[in-house]
Amino acid sequence: MKVHSLFVVFACSLLVSATAGAATPNPAKTRSYIDHAWNTLTRSADECRALLDPKVPSHSVVYLPWHAPIPASLAQSAKRCSVHVEHLPQPIRQLGDVDPTKLPAQGLLYLPHPYVVPGGFFNEMYGWDSYFIVLGLVADHRTPLALDMVDNALYEVQHYGAILNANRTYYLTRSQPPLLTAMMAAVLDDPSAFPDAQARHAWLEHAYPLAVRNYELWTRKQHLAGNTGLSRYWDYGHGPVIEMPDSDYYVGVIRWLLAHPSQNPGYLIKAPQHPDAAQAKMLTTTSCDVTTSKICAGDWLDGYRLTAAYYSGDRAMRESGFDTDFHFGPWGGSTEQYAGTGLNSLLYRYERDLQHFATELGKTADADRWAKAAEARRAAIDKYLWKPQQGRYMDYDFVTGKSSTDPYLTMFYPLWAGVASKQQAQDLVKQLKLFEHKGGLAMSTRITGAQWDAPYGWAPTNWIAVKGLDNYGFHADALRIACKFTGTVDRVFAQRGTIFEKYNMYQGNADVKITAGYKTNVIGFGWTNGVYLKLRSLIDSEGGCGMAQAEKTTAVAH
């Protein structure tokens, strides 16, 4: 049986039941699906479906931290599932300490607690997905599982160097958007998460220094956006990512760049398909190492290869979570050049969370340090990212010294993070018209064929925008968008019997036609489930979607 076959069976059974009746949107049915889906999406180290690698099921490997004892439950399940258990070759203090290309085989990184995967074919606990899943678990009164996920995230920091893109060895070179403290706050704010105040305090004492260690990743030299005082995304690996099954993706990039020469920022170099020894040596610095990477060797088309700079940007794009987008260059290939509004807003919130945690723990000096760090970041955000003439935040290319001219939905992250002033918020809310459509908020204002651009919209970015609007008192706008996005989820579920990772915001459905990058619209889906529950809670607190329609009618009348 394939790893994800149980999920497929479950999804199909719900599809049959959903389509048996009229295709009428019904939030109660959507909620019921989500309630069942948590169990279907949960994995643990005592299950074969979690341990087996769907890419190489006959040679699956689970890695433990260096010198960590093998848990009895893992030993038993590994034997039962015919999975090899290995140890990482050295302790890891920070990302980059272990080069995954030097491991004898790629494999799963052990996590001690159950966790929820995104959906579909995914079998790992993913970095930023987990925050929105945790929000949903808490909202659905599954706090023990939410706490397990946060504890797993802390385990990753302690043993693997940071929150990882996901718990696979090939992700040991990159993280994902920094939401660890927000995950911690979600469980700390739930009275049912801990048996008493003493247990809660003890947990925070353990978690706080790990949260600090995870933060330090973003202020290391490699993650700094030049001398702006801001941060950027960065991956510590080199060349094409090793999780790619073949060269098709990168050859597709070359093909697109050759077809759109005026939009090529310089990602291509002329190079032979079969270089000799001297040429291969030169390519290790100008492109990638064809002698050690089959993917690199295959990344060739019509006399061209991709530059080393492109591969750095491609890897940074994957850390950003926006894989693939054209906002940070075609195919995201310049992501490492940008001080992004989204990332730096998340880090501002992270610093404020650390300030709050330090205060609660009686660490006065720490709290003062985090307050100063947050204020310094706010000043840098205002200096480099806020554009008063446009009334919006725009990402900054610190290499060229120019701001992006391409509006992106992450301009609303400062509202969620609390970094915007009241006047900035009032100006920013006028920008909603750039992104708002029938189905909710699209990622951008231009159609590129990539999944993280228009016309597509995603649960996490819709939630961050809605929550930010609500926090700043724009309740009618928050309610209206919440109703649009949940309405899209409900309509699609009534028609197709499942929940998806992304939706078409222009049409208000799940019709997705990707031409650049990953083409699948995966079902499941963890963060959509979580955000749906949070948006429904907000809708209920505001009197329902009828109130949103009434607000709209009143506005038109006036």
Side-chain angles (χ1 to χ4, degrees), residues 122-138:
F122 294 107
N123 212 31
E124 306 86 8
M125 178 172 149
Y126 274 77
W128 73 311
D129 293 66
S130 295
Y131 169 59
F132 305 96
I133 291 170
V134 164
L135 288 180
L137 291 171
V138 172

Side-chain angles (χ1 to χ4, degrees), residues 454-490:
Y456 308 118
W458 298 71
T461 48
N462 268 263
W463 168 249
I464 286 176
V466 167
K467 180 60 174 171
L469 290 165
D470 198 54
N471 287 348
Y472 274 79
F474 300 106
H475 304 303
D477 295 298
L479 177 60
R480 183 182 69 254
I481 296 165
C483 289
K484 284 186 173 185
F485 191 82
T486 56
T488 297
V489 175
D490 286 332

Side-chain angles (χ1 to χ4, degrees), residues 34 38 116 128-143 145-147 149-150 179 181-187 189-190 349 416 459-460 463-464 467 526-535 537:
I34 292 171
W38 294 131
V116 176
W128 73 311
D129 293 66
S130 295
Y131 169 59
F132 305 96
I133 291 170
V134 164
L135 288 180
L137 291 171
V138 172
D140 215 13
H141 310 293
R142 295 172 181 258
T143 306
L145 182 54
L147 187 57
M149 291 194 66
V150 182
L179 287 157
T181 56
M183 290 173 65
M184 292 166 56
V187 295
D189 292 344
D190 186 342
R349 168 70 176 270
W416 176 86
W463 168 249
I464 286 176
K467 180 60 174 171
W527 66 17
T528 311
N529 298 349
V531 166
Y532 179 90
L533 294 177
K534 294 296 290 184
L535 290 175
S537 178

